[in-house]
Amino acid sequence: MRKLLPLVLATLFVSGCGLVYRQPIFQGNLLEKTSVDQLQAGMDQRQVMMLLGTPSVRDPFHHDRWDYVASQRIGRTGAPVVKTMTLWFENGQLARWEGEYFPEQDEALANNSIRYFGPNLAKDKDKKKRGR
């Protein structure tokens, strides 16, 4: 019991100091750079949804505005970084877009997912790109 107590105390101390790796936390819409690059004025809402997915915020008072919001937090004490990509539609067609997103994080997450969870995630992602 005496040998176990210092080990337990050391483990609690190390985990409490933040020395243990904390995985970054991403929430919201992570948009792919290739998808955002394919946006064109005049696309209808369905085409944009097929390209970028469902927006995280649809304002019920402004039907012609879609917001894709994503946040990233690293560590448990780090402040979250929030980025918003906003799209405006006129008469159901994409008129303009502006904002920021995490273009490199989506690709990095996909590569890490393949490494940890196998290639099935990439296959599903490719199906979504081809519209299946």
Side-chain angles (χ1 to χ4, degrees):
M1 185 67 176
R2 285 187 169 180
K3 292 182 181 180
L4 184 61
L5 184 62
L7 180 62
V8 170
L9 289 175
T11 303
L12 290 174
F13 177 73
V14 170
S15 65
C17 292
L19 297 175
V20 176
Y21 172 73
R22 296 284 180 180
Q23 184 172 355
I25 299 170
F26 295 96
Q27 292 181 324
N29 297 87
L30 286 177
L31 303 176
E32 294 182 7
K33 181 176 177 4
T34 56
S35 297
V36 174
D37 290 343
Q38 291 178 31
L39 287 176
Q40 297 176 2
M43 294 177 109
D44 64 25
Q45 292 179 343
R46 185 172 178 220
Q47 290 172 317
V48 173
M49 195 177 295
M50 291 291 290
L51 196 61
L52 300 180
T54 306
S56 52
V57 178
R58 272 189 173 169
D59 188 345
F61 301 107
H62 302 99
H63 296 285
D64 294 333
R65 176 181 167 160
W66 289 3
D67 293 304
Y68 291 86
V69 181
S71 68
Q72 170 188 12
R73 190 176 95 187
I74 299 175
R76 74 178 166 224
T77 59
V81 177
V82 179
K83 294 188 179 186
T84 303
M85 178 81 152
T86 304
L87 286 70
W88 287 272
F89 295 88
E90 292 177 6
N91 299 322
Q93 295 186 335
L94 183 61
R96 62 188 172 97
W97 60 95
E98 65 181 38
E100 298 180 304
Y101 61 102
F102 296 100
E104 63 281 347
Q105 274 80 350
D106 185 63
E107 185 176 338
L109 283 174
N111 290 337
N112 284 338
S113 296
I114 291 169
R115 185 174 62 201
Y116 292 119
F117 302 114
N120 292 337
L121 289 173
K123 289 178 185 175
D124 291 343
K125 198 171 194 176
D126 289 341
K127 285 180 188 176
K128 188 168 66 172
K129 282 183 184 178
R130 291 190 298 250
R132 293 185 183 172

